């Protein structure tokens, strides 16, 4: 049976509910959901004239899916400020887009149950393609108001500097 390199007693994969997101060197408050990191490489089919009637396959262009982040509506304006850099209504002709700094690199960190950083991904040149400031409002509902942003990006990679930590072990004192 294969074992984890640092923690051979660990059999369980990491859970998906302990994570943090950082941009501009600061953690973003209240993010409750981040969509998957997914990339797809096109398949290019080709054949030579003398080949049998079957084709060969090789990799083509790679595309990175947009990432959606959600959080409860609060007075924090980080989602809105970033979205406004792509399109700021009422900013005046020629000033609607902040071309200098509308893209940001984002770091997504995953933690184990003990709160130790176990995996991090760097997502490059992100920009907000969709911003939802508030959800549908319903007086008969019983839910948290959620806002979300959709981030287009030009690729991501795992941060190899983050290594598997030694997991803590606590002893129970004898009575």
């Amino acid at each position: 049976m294969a074992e984890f390199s640092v923690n051979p007693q660990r059999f369980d994969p990491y859970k998906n509910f302990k994570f943090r997101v950082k941009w501009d060197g600061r953690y973003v408050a209240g993010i409750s959901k981040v969509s998957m990191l997914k990339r797809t490489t096109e398949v290019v089919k080709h054949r030579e004239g003398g080949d049998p009637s079957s084709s060969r396959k090789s990799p083509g262009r790679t595309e990175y899916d947009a990432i959606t982040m959600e959080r409860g509506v609060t007075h924090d304006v980080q989602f809105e400020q970033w979205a406004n850099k792509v399109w700021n209504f009422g900013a005046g002709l020629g000033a609607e887009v902040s071309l200098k700094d509308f893209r940001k690199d984002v770091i997504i960190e995953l933690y184990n149950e003990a709160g130790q950083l176990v995996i991090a991904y760097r997502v490059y040149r992100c920009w907000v393609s969709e911003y939802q400031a508030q959800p549908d409002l319903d007086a008969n509902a019983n839910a948290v108001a959620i806002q979300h942003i959709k981030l287009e990006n030009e690729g991501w990679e795992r941060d190899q500097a983050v290594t598997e930590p030694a997991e803590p072990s606590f002893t129970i004192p004898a009575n």
Side-chain angles (χ1 to χ4, degrees), residues 6-162:
V6 176
N7 301 301
Q9 75 285 351
R10 184 178 182 95
F11 295 105
D12 300 323
Y14 298 119
K15 309 302 187 279
N16 68 348
F17 56 81
K18 290 193 97 156
F19 62 90
R20 295 198 300 179
V21 176
K22 184 192 293 187
W23 65 62
D24 292 337
R26 295 184 6 222
Y27 288 105
V28 181
I31 294 181
S32 59
K33 190 172 185 179
V34 177
S35 67
M36 69 181 110
L37 296 179
K38 181 181 173 186
R39 68 176 177 229
T40 305
T41 302
E42 292 177 355
V43 176
V44 177
K45 294 180 181 180
H46 58 92
R47 63 180 286 278
E48 292 182 28
D51 282 349
S53 294
S54 61
S55 60
R56 298 176 188 263
K57 296 178 184 178
S58 61
R61 291 184 311 194
T62 298
E63 303 247 343
Y64 293 86
D65 284 8
I67 300 165
T68 301
M69 296 185 183
E70 295 182 357
R71 70 177 189 173
V73 174
T74 67
H75 281 280
D76 184 81
V77 294
Q78 282 191 302
F79 277 23
E80 183 176 357
Q81 286 175 339
W82 191 4
N84 286 346
K85 288 185 177 288
V86 176
W87 182 255
N88 192 1
F89 180 77
L93 189 59
E96 300 94 352
V97 180
S98 178
L99 294 176
K100 180 180 179 182
D101 58 355
F102 75 98
R103 296 179 190 266
K104 300 177 186 283
D105 290 345
V106 173
I107 298 171
I108 301 171
E109 298 176 339
L110 180 65
Y111 293 83
N112 65 12
E113 296 88 334
Q116 297 171 299
L117 177 62
V118 293
I119 296 174
Y121 288 93
R122 297 184 177 278
V123 187
Y124 298 107
R125 298 180 50 79
C126 300
W127 58 277
V128 179
S129 65
E130 186 176 307
Y131 169 59
Q132 178 183 308
Q134 71 178 33
D136 292 335
L137 301 176
D138 184 352
N140 293 314
N142 184 15
V144 172
I146 299 291
Q147 63 181 194
H148 83 259
I149 56 174
K150 182 176 179 181
L151 302 178
E152 302 297 330
N153 66 88
E154 294 184 4
W156 48 263
E157 66 182 348
R158 187 167 171 171
D159 185 347
Q160 297 297 328
V162 177

